[in-house]
Amino acid sequence: MNDAVIGAPALKPASELSQAIVRNIEKVLVGKHQQVELALAAVVAGGHLLIEDVPGLGKTMLARALATSVGLKFRRIQFTADLMPSDIVGGPVYNPKDGSFVLRPGPVFANFVLADEINRANARAQSALLECMEEGQVTLDGQTLPLPQPFAVLATQNPIDMAGTYPLPEAQLDRFLIRLSLGYPDAATEASLVQVQQFAHPISSLQPVCQPEQFAQLVSAARAVQISPEVAQFITAIVGATRHHAGIRFGASPRGTLALARVARALSCMRGYNYVDPAVVRELAVPVLAHRVIVQAQGSVQAQKPAAAMIEDILQAQKTPR
């Protein structure tokens, strides 16, 4: 396959721009190249990102740096137990001057919405995001309002602090294109943070590295990346195997198949390929699929492994197409 599919003039600038965005984010989040690349791939693919890890590892900084780097409108919502749907999507507000009601858009009307500690809000508040994430629109007071494009929810949550939290329902988890964890930095990286980030954080001086129209061109280039019939079958086989694994009660739906293909296109484009390499599919299978499956009940023999390990088992059993 040659560069005539996308065209070398379009592919090269798209790859260079994505790498510039990654480098810019890495000014804030040091030593996490793979996670930064995956986060950008999720947004380029038009999806939503769930960042799950313990406090202090840079979940919020990753979301803020990503939004700042691409120069699009960013809003943050701090999810709390008393958050109401109207605090997210907005609603009618009474105008005492003339006794009328004026429709006030909520903070979700932005390109990048940070849902910080999303699992601290109750189910009613969380449900306000369902229509936004799936359909890119909001229904308010009988009106259907489109959200700005591109639109992405960048959500964070702490998986170990369960007091006062509300676990995300499976239907909402399935709307996140990728779930990733940052993990602890290595010793050398952590030591460098003492020198450069103890009294000031680089997020305060971070600047955009592209214009909105340039980012739109990157998105268009990613959509033009080709998937061969063999790779499409490979993706389908991986997702299909989640429905027959002994340790998985419910496997990934066709939405998972489409999600894996979408983000594989985006990551391939970012790396300068005009086709999807099967190695990219293997790399993405766990962050795209692990949160979409429901494992067997606790206590059963098959439930001894986490979902990510089961996806790895499936990958081992799949033959990579040439």
Side-chain angles (χ1 to χ4, degrees):
M1 194 174 293
N2 55 48
D3 284 342
V5 175
I6 296 180
L11 181 64
K12 186 177 180 181
S15 178
E16 291 176 347
L17 176 61
S18 64
Q19 295 311 312
I21 295 172
V22 168
R23 289 192 298 270
N24 200 52
I25 297 172
E26 288 180 322
K27 294 177 183 178
V28 173
L29 201 69
V30 183
K32 298 296 177 184
H33 179 79
Q34 182 184 28
Q35 290 88 338
V36 170
E37 198 175 38
L38 290 180
L40 178 58
V43 173
V44 171
H48 310 288
L49 176 67
L50 178 61
I51 312 169
E52 187 177 80
D53 223 321
V54 297
L57 296 184
K59 300 186 298 296
T60 302
M61 289 300 108
L62 171 57
R64 287 182 59 188
L66 177 57
T68 300
S69 296
V70 298
L72 293 169
K73 186 176 180 181
F74 172 75
R75 297 292 296 272
R76 173 177 176 169
I77 307 172
Q78 186 65 52
F79 277 60
T80 57
D82 60 349
L83 193 72
M84 298 294 291
S86 58
D87 297 325
I88 300 173
V89 299
V93 176
Y94 180 69
N95 184 353
K97 292 183 178 180
D98 57 9
S100 64
F101 285 87
V102 179
L103 201 61
R104 177 187 60 85
V108 78
F109 284 86
N111 297 110
F112 292 92
V113 178
L114 172 58
D116 208 12
E117 296 188 276
I118 189 172
N119 57 334
R120 291 200 172 277
N122 58 42
R124 184 180 181 188
Q126 289 180 17
S127 67
L129 286 175
L130 295 178
E131 182 184 12
C132 306
M133 295 173 69
E134 181 63 18
E135 301 175 44
Q137 64 183 31
V138 172
T139 302
L140 286 177
D141 199 26
Q143 301 181 47
T144 299
L145 307 175
L147 293 171
Q149 295 299 319
F151 172 74
V153 173
L154 313 175
T156 70
Q157 69 174 357
N158 174 6
I160 63 171
D161 185 5
M162 292 294 105
T165 62
Y166 303 83
L168 300 183
E170 286 75 13
Q172 188 165 0
L173 277 175
D174 198 43
R175 281 168 166 78
F176 286 101
L177 186 62
I178 284 181
R179 181 181 67 177
L180 59 82
S181 298
L182 298 178
Y184 292 102
D186 58 51
T189 299
E190 194 165 4
S192 70
L193 298 181
V194 177
Q195 301 294 328
V196 300
Q197 292 192 18
Q198 187 164 10
F199 302 110
H201 201 285
I203 190 67
S204 59
S205 58
L206 199 69
Q207 297 295 320
V209 294
C210 74
Q211 299 297 319
E213 57 271 16
Q214 292 176 296
F215 185 75
Q217 292 171 0
L218 172 57
V219 172
S220 297
R223 291 179 177 177
V225 169
Q226 297 297 300
I227 297 182
S228 68
E230 294 78 13
V231 174
Q233 292 173 6
F234 181 51
I235 292 172
T236 303
I238 293 172
V239 178
T242 66
R243 303 165 194 166
H244 306 289
H245 192 285
I248 297 176
R249 185 180 180 190
F250 296 106
S253 70
R255 182 187 285 165
T257 308
L258 296 174
L260 186 53
R262 281 168 53 199
V263 74
R265 277 191 166 102
L267 188 56
S268 296
C269 177
M270 289 167 53
R271 292 178 177 175
Y273 304 132
N274 63 346
Y275 62 93
V276 173
D277 191 312
V280 172
V281 175
R282 285 187 172 274
E283 181 181 347
L284 292 168
V286 171
V288 173
L289 297 177
H291 64 287
R292 300 175 188 273
V293 302
I294 301 176
V295 300
Q296 293 288 359
Q298 294 297 320
S300 64
V301 176
Q302 294 88 352
Q304 300 305 312
K305 287 185 177 181
M310 295 182 191
I311 302 297
E312 293 285 3
D313 289 343
I314 290 172
L315 290 173
Q316 293 297 324
Q318 298 297 321
K319 184 178 180 181
T320 304
R322 294 183 180 275

